[in-house]
């Protein structure tokens, strides 16, 4: 008897064999803020400290269009989002981790770009997220936020309108990255009217829960952390530091903040959470995460767009003017501060007791997590513009930067390592 198997069945079977292993590779960096959701790489990773355009660069590939999203790494693939402003196309691009060869490029949407955004923003600023089987991309459109799921081969699984997005007073564009939690992908959109946080099923795109947000502008990406004996989704902005139940979206607690708008993602140490903001007032603050909403300490340092990093009892930060700080996380006591220089949009990341930080001019500083003194280890230049944060994976660093030669701007994705 001759057995006939449809070609589409064979295709699906091959995809299943190739792409259904959702186990986390030891050195993956699948989501915004990395494998531990706090900017800290997996234990035992040892990326290089020094590089130039010609030293310790494994590969360098051009990235079409423009975006400020950071790269993610899923097994043997590096993925990034980008937008072509002239053609109004938003895309996801996948590269081979070993060689930098482009494996595929999927155009997710076309048209309906917002007519106006901030000069430092792009139409592809949210970082992608992956559960090891699918890639989730959030792109802003003229009047909505679009959420798309692709498989690891670049084929679209589903696409939905996550919610509306039509800012009026401050047309700065969209920023928050999607986050993943227990089979859900969570999307945030906060602006003057109809702001929301919503969770969707990763397999189908079906809505799991939705909450309404205050009618104020905000740009922060939430994060889920295990604090005070339970999972908490942390988010600052809208004049508050707030915690939500990531299962349902219900509010757990909140505390008043010194500012309306923030952009960075919150971090935590033991039972304290930390955030910084800058409009209309500036400052950094620590809040008790036990439900009391107690503000433990504050200062007047402004880390507006960039995220800080908490590690081994200390809070590290680089403010908007490129000044690095170290504070005792529990007391707020300043341990040291040192000027690095340059305007700041990239967030701190850490591996092997070393902090990596890039300024907007493309210079990456590496300094030790030493609370006793500031200890600069390296200054590394790539291109002349950088807004993304690096992904630290094993002995490799994946980073996005741009260069201007002969007046033409070109973005590149780098794999840095020996």
């Amino acid at each position: 008897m001759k057995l006939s198997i449809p070609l589409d069945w064979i295709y699906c079977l091959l995809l299943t064999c190739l792409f259904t292993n959702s186990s986390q590779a030891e050195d993956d960096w699948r989501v915004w803020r990395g494998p531990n959701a706090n900017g800290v790489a997996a234990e035992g990773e040892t990326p290089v400290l020094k590089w130039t355009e010609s030293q310790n660069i494994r590969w360098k590939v051009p990235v079409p269009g423009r975006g400020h999203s950071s790269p993610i790494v899923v097994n043997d693939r590096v993925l990034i989002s980008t937008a072509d402003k002239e053609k109004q196309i938003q895309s996801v691009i996948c590269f081979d981790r070993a060689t930098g060869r482009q494996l595929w490029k999927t155009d997710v949407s076309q048209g309906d770009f917002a007519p106006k955004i901030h000069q430092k923003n792009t139409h592809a600023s949210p970082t992608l997220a992956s559960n090891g089987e699918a890639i989730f991309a959030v792109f802003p459109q003229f009047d909505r936020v679009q959420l798309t799921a692709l498989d690891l081969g670049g084929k679209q699984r589903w696409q939905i309108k996550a919610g509306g997005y039509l800012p009026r007073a401050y047309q700065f564009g969209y920023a928050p990255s999607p986050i993943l939690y227990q089979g859900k992908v969570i999307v945030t959109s906060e602006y003057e009217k109809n702001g929301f946080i919503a969770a969707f099923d990763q397999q189908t795109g079906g809505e799991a829960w939705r909450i309404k947000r205050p009618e104020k502008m905000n740009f922060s990406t939430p994060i889920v952390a295990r604090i005070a004996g339970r999972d908490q989704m942390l988010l600052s902005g809208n004049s508050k530091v707030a915690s939500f139940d990531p299962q349902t979206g219900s509010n757990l607690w909140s505390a008043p903040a010194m500012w309306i708008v923030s952009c960075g993602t919150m971090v935590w140490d033991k039972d304290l959470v930390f955030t910084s903001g800058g409009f209309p007032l500036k400052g950094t603050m620590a809040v008790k995460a036990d439900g009391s909403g107690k503000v433990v300490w504050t200062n007047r340092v402004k880390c507006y767009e960039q995220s800080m990093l908490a590690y081994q009892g200390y809070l590290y930060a680089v403010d908007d003017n490129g000044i690095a700080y170290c504070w005792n996380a529990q007391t707020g006591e300043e341990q040291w501060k040192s000027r690095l220089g340059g305007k700041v949009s990239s967030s701190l990341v850490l591996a092997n007791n070393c902090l990596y930080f890039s300024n907007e001019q493309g210079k990456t500083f590496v300094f030790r997590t030493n609370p006793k003194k500031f200890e600069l280890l390296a200054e590394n230049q790539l291109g002349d513009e950088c807004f993304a944060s690096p992904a630290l994976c094993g002995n490799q660093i994946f980073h996005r930067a741009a260069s201007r030669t002969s007046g033409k701007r070109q973005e590149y994705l780098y794999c840095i390592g020996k």
Side-chain angles (χ1 to χ4, degrees), residues 58-328:
R58 291 193 178 186
W59 50 258
K60 170 186 175 182
V61 293
V63 177
R66 185 182 180 191
H68 288 170
S69 63
S70 302
I72 65 168
V73 181
V74 185
N75 299 323
D76 60 349
R77 294 154 191 262
V78 185
L79 299 114
I80 204 161
S81 64
T82 192
D84 185 322
K85 186 177 179 180
E86 292 184 2
K87 297 180 180 178
Q88 295 203 3
I89 297 175
Q90 293 160 315
S91 309
V92 176
I93 311 178
C94 179
F95 300 91
D96 180 83
R97 177 174 174 173
T99 65
R101 179 175 64 90
Q102 183 175 309
L103 300 178
W104 51 261
K105 176 177 178 286
T106 298
D107 296 336
V108 170
S109 61
Q110 184 169 6
D112 281 343
F113 275 27
K116 183 180 179 182
I117 62 173
H118 196 280
Q119 62 180 355
K120 287 189 176 183
N121 203 356
T122 73
H123 297 278
S125 290
T127 294
L128 303 168
S130 177
N131 60 9
E133 297 179 358
I135 304 135
F136 303 96
V138 170
F139 287 111
Q141 301 290 284
F142 171 68
D143 61 353
R144 64 194 180 276
V145 176
Q146 179 179 276
L147 173 62
T148 305
L150 307 174
D151 65 26
L152 291 185
K155 184 179 180 180
Q156 182 176 303
R157 287 185 169 183
W158 50 260
Q159 185 176 83
I160 62 169
K161 174 185 174 181
Y165 183 73
L166 193 60
R168 296 295 190 186
Y170 300 100
Q171 297 180 48
F172 292 163
Y174 184 79
S177 300
I179 63 171
L180 307 182
Y181 179 77
Q182 293 189 357
K184 303 178 185 69
V185 52
I186 300 173
V187 177
T188 304
S189 177
E190 300 188 281
Y191 57 108
E192 298 101 323
K193 191 174 182 180
N194 299 327
F196 69 91
I197 306 176
F200 305 92
D201 184 270
Q202 293 178 13
Q203 297 297 319
T204 66
E207 186 174 307
W209 55 257
R210 178 181 296 265
I211 59 173
K212 187 176 180 180
R213 295 293 287 151
E215 295 182 350
K216 298 176 182 178
M217 180 69 72
N218 195 43
F219 302 97
S220 292
T221 298
I223 205 73
V224 176
R226 186 76 178 175
I227 313 173
R230 67 177 303 166
D231 289 348
Q232 302 189 38
M233 185 174 70
L234 307 170
L235 179 65
S236 67
N238 286 310
S239 304
K240 290 183 178 180
V241 177
S243 172
F244 304 86
D245 184 345
Q247 292 275 15
T248 65
S250 60
N251 184 261
L252 298 177
W253 58 262
S254 65
M258 298 177 283
W259 52 85
I260 298 173
V261 180
S262 62
C263 301
T265 297
M266 293 177 62
V267 296
W268 64 95
D269 176 72
K270 296 181 181 177
D271 62 347
L272 294 185
V273 297
F274 310 94
T275 184
S276 190
F279 179 83
L281 300 177
K282 64 180 182 179
T284 298
M285 59 189 298
V287 179
K288 201 86 166 176
D290 60 0
S292 66
K294 178 183 177 182
V295 177
V296 177
W297 59 261
T298 65
N299 63 39
R300 297 308 300 272
V301 175
K302 176 186 175 184
C303 303
Y304 187 41
E305 295 190 22
Q306 61 278 24
S307 302
M308 303 179 290
L309 195 143
Y311 186 66
Q312 294 184 347
Y314 295 91
L315 180 64
Y316 296 90
V318 182
D319 76 1
D320 286 16
N321 295 313
I323 301 175
Y325 290 86
C326 175
W327 300 292
N328 182 298

